[in-house]
Amino acid sequence: AGLLRARSPKLYQLAHPSLRATITAYADRHGRLQAHHQNCAELVRLHGRGPNRFGLIGQHLLSGGRPREALGFLYQGVIRAVDEAATGRARELLAIWQLALDELDPPASDPLRGDHHYMRCRLAMVGFDVDECRREFTALGRLATEHDWPRHLARAAALEAQLAHQLGDASECLRLLPRAINLADAAGDRLTSARTRLEMAQVLNQQGMSKAAAPWIAEARKVYEQDHVAIGEATCLLLSATIAFSAGRYDEAQGVAEAARHMGAKAGALTIQGFAMSIIGEVHRKAGRPDMARRAYHKALSMFHGVGAEAHGIPCELNLALLHQDDGEDEAAVEILNACIERLHR
């Protein structure tokens, strides 16, 4: 009793580290450990859920002696963690990905070598490390040109545009995005094509051109829907909800945000759910439902905390401060504001 712990309805793990170590050592002595890891990878692939699924498959494949296959799943795990702003998990998986690459040791001309720069740049982007971003997308672009890697050339161009957006240089971002989109389309890189289109929509909306943004959102969402990328599709819905909210279409904003939240829940994407709850909280606050707004904001903060992305929750905390101020609770509002300022300076 108590020897197994459920990971999902059809997956279990041994509850005690000492028992796992004993069984692992026994399998290793009898030459069955790699086969066990391969079986575990297949079980997780078939029945695994949640944000750690791809990384777990990759780790089992690497331990099962299949580094090339492991690289693909570990790559997906890193990108998923980056999308969730789970930087700790992303770094851990990137280190394991590097072990798999070292074991495989592909030639310098293999595009797998470029994945390292792409993932490092995406991770640096989340951490607002501007210098690291520039180093990595510059290296990626140089290698892509040298070895004729069209997908990586498109990704380097997209990353350069994304950094300009992150730095608040909308005009530079809008100048760079068409080239990135054209390169992604020419390379047949559908996900980079969708990401750059969504980036275009975000910049246009921030510049007050929400009508111009709508077709770009639709194009990006179509690709994500066709390729079954739930996080990408949910991100499109979040932007549509934000646009509806800004236009005063509060019922529409809440409905679209609920759809995004539901999609995020199915994908196990806490960050998506957090952003959706934040929008729902805003709708309740505007509609004069402060108690419902508070509940939504606190749910959002809990979700951001769940992936270590507390910085995403600062707008929710600021809105909670406004609600305290509305109730005449100035001291509570100031306490929240001071905590936000301290977090921003860390």
Side-chain angles (χ1 to χ4, degrees), residues 320-330 333:
L320 284 168
L322 289 174
L323 289 172
H324 280 298
Q325 190 176 39
D326 291 342
D327 291 342
E329 300 168 349
D330 291 345

Side-chain angles (χ1 to χ4, degrees), residues 144-145 147-156 183-184 186-189:
T145 301
H147 296 297
D148 190 24
W149 298 336
R151 286 175 179 258
H152 282 317
L153 190 62
R155 290 170 182 176
L183 286 171
D189 188 340

Side-chain angles (χ1 to χ4, degrees), residues 104-152:
L104 185 65
D105 193 24
S109 60
D110 193 313
L112 283 170
R113 299 282 183 185
D115 285 344
H116 180 258
H117 295 287
Y118 178 68
M119 289 186 288
R120 283 180 62 87
C121 190
R122 290 285 304 275
L123 184 54
M125 197 85 68
V126 175
F128 303 104
D129 189 336
V130 174
D131 292 337
E132 176 78 355
C133 283
R134 286 205 174 100
R135 278 195 299 271
E136 295 299 340
F137 73 63
T138 300
L140 181 60
R142 176 177 53 78
L143 289 170
T145 301
E146 180 182 342
H147 296 297
D148 190 24
W149 298 336
R151 286 175 179 258
H152 282 317

